[in-house]
Amino acid sequence: MHGPPVVFYERTGNWAAVWRRLEARLAPTAGRALPPRLVETRSAAECREALTKHRGSFLVAELATPSVEPTLELLFHVLLNARDVATAVVAPRQLLPYQGLSRELGAQAFVVSPLEFE
């Protein structure tokens, strides 16, 4: 039986692809029969819906330009309404100055390179 999924909120699917490659590489050595499910969302509304449906999920939210507001608002929503959801933020290196604010909004990790996943 699967546990709660990893929910990705991103525009492109690039970060989720890195996650899938990492899972495929690590699952046999970790002795896990079933890796966590992955749910990809492209809008903040779709992400909130997925988090409501899958309580206790792990959220990976992309902070991207030209507008960082949707992701920051999503983090604030999760902080207030979904305390059982763990969060990580992924972003391009130029958005590193948002790390502190992202962590204040509940992000446990702030990743600026897909290599940090590995």
Side-chain angles (χ1 to χ4, degrees):
M1 180 173 165
H2 285 284
V6 176
V7 177
F8 274 80
Y9 166 59
E10 62 174 327
R11 292 180 305 176
T12 63
N14 293 337
W15 290 96
V18 171
W19 186 277
R20 279 191 179 94
R21 284 193 306 271
L22 180 63
E23 277 289 331
R25 193 172 71 214
L26 294 180
T29 61
R32 292 188 307 189
L34 295 171
R37 291 176 297 149
L38 201 112
V39 175
E40 293 187 57
T41 63
R42 299 290 181 248
S43 72
E46 184 183 6
C47 185
R48 283 192 298 273
E49 189 176 301
L51 293 174
T52 299
K53 183 178 177 184
H54 304 289
R55 302 304 298 184
S57 298
F58 178 64
L59 170 64
V60 179
E62 179 185 38
L63 194 64
T65 56
S67 176
V68 299
E69 283 83 12
T71 301
L72 296 176
E73 289 171 0
L74 178 63
L75 292 175
F76 187 65
H77 168 81
V78 169
L79 181 66
L80 293 180
N81 301 298
R83 306 279 295 166
D84 60 339
V85 173
T87 59
V89 172
V90 294
R93 203 168 300 283
Q94 67 263 27
L95 294 180
L96 192 57
Y98 284 94
Q99 179 175 358
L101 179 57
S102 296
R103 288 187 180 275
E104 285 182 37
L105 292 172
Q108 284 89 17
F110 192 94
V111 178
V112 294
S113 169
L115 296 175
E116 291 181 49
F117 270 164
E118 301 182 39

